[in-house]
Amino acid sequence: MTPQTDVALKEWSLLCKALSDGRQTLLVRKGGIHDKRGEFEVEHREFFLFPTYYHAKAKDVLPAAQAELEALQKAAPPPSEVHVGLFAEVADTYFLKDEKTIQNLSGLHLYSDEALAMRYHYRKPGVWVVVLRAYTLPKEFVLTNTKEYEGCVSWVPLEKPLPTAGAKPVLSDAEFEKRRAEIRKAAG
């Protein structure tokens, strides 16, 4: 793990929470409208998670997670702040060209079928599955939300590098490797 980094990946607050408590070890990405060519690219192998509160809707997540999504949105920090408490390393990436393959990932994430279908069909068929090893930080960093952090982009260059010292893996090595193998099998 790098001792510090100055990049973060924007993701729904609910999925950041699910990564931080070990319920989820993957993200399904397509791309923000301001991303290069409008497509997601795995530009970085290590990064902080930048929780967002405005794009996720109840219909985008499984029914069992909808109340949690609403609670996280109600408890969101003021728009002037970003709370960063999670670091991640990319373990594997898969580009799924076959929509049916996405169904194999059921039970490994909190996305609704509708949200996955929408991502899959956006612009051109296919989605990225990014397997992450998540680490909780000893304390949250509270950053000032700047204009540079706004917009529909996946990657955010932070104003200054943040340290990763003291970060603890969410899952044990054995549990992470078990999940990783499940995702590998499901992704084909």
Side-chain angles (χ1 to χ4, degrees):
M1 175 186 312
T2 185
Q4 64 181 16
T5 191
D6 62 354
V7 68
L9 177 68
K10 284 187 175 183
E11 189 52 77
W12 297 343
S13 60
L14 175 66
L15 299 183
C16 291
K17 177 80 168 78
L19 287 164
S20 75
D21 63 23
R23 286 179 288 160
Q24 188 163 312
T25 53
L26 64 84
L27 297 175
V28 178
R29 302 295 301 218
K30 187 63 173 219
I33 59 173
H34 296 297
D35 284 339
K36 294 175 189 172
R37 299 183 317 275
E39 296 178 17
F40 178 73
E41 292 182 35
V42 182
E43 295 178 26
H44 305 278
R45 303 301 290 185
E46 297 182 331
F47 46 85
F48 292 99
L49 274 293
F50 186 110
T52 63
Y53 297 88
Y54 40 84
H55 282 312
K57 309 283 185 279
K59 67 179 177 55
D60 294 331
V61 300
L62 296 174
Q66 291 174 357
E68 183 180 9
L69 172 64
E70 184 179 328
L72 285 168
Q73 289 172 331
K74 284 182 181 175
S80 61
E81 295 178 1
V82 177
H83 292 214
V84 175
L86 193 61
F87 183 77
E89 295 174 325
V90 174
D92 300 302
T93 59
Y94 304 96
F95 186 74
L96 303 184
K97 296 178 185 177
D98 181 359
E99 189 173 10
K100 291 178 183 173
T101 307
I102 298 170
Q103 296 167 359
N104 297 342
L105 298 170
S106 181
L108 299 173
H109 59 77
L110 298 179
Y111 301 96
S112 69
D113 290 343
E114 182 179 287
L116 291 176
M118 184 178 68
R119 285 186 182 200
Y120 178 84
H121 290 285
Y122 180 69
R123 293 194 178 168
K124 64 181 182 181
V127 290
W128 283 100
V129 173
V130 183
V131 182
L132 297 178
R133 181 82 193 258
Y135 298 83
T136 55
L137 301 172
K139 66 177 182 110
E140 274 189 345
F141 295 102
V142 179
L143 309 178
T144 300
N145 200 2
T146 67
K147 291 233 182 262
E148 289 77 20
Y149 296 165
E150 293 178 2
C152 293
V153 295
S154 297
W155 299 104
V156 178
L158 302 175
E159 286 186 318
K160 63 179 183 175
L162 301 176
T164 59
K168 303 264 189 258
V170 170
L171 299 174
S172 69
D173 292 347
E175 181 61 26
F176 177 73
E177 289 304 326
K178 179 182 169 197
R179 298 263 189 94
R180 188 177 182 187
E182 288 176 45
I183 296 165
R184 183 181 306 120
K185 181 179 178 184

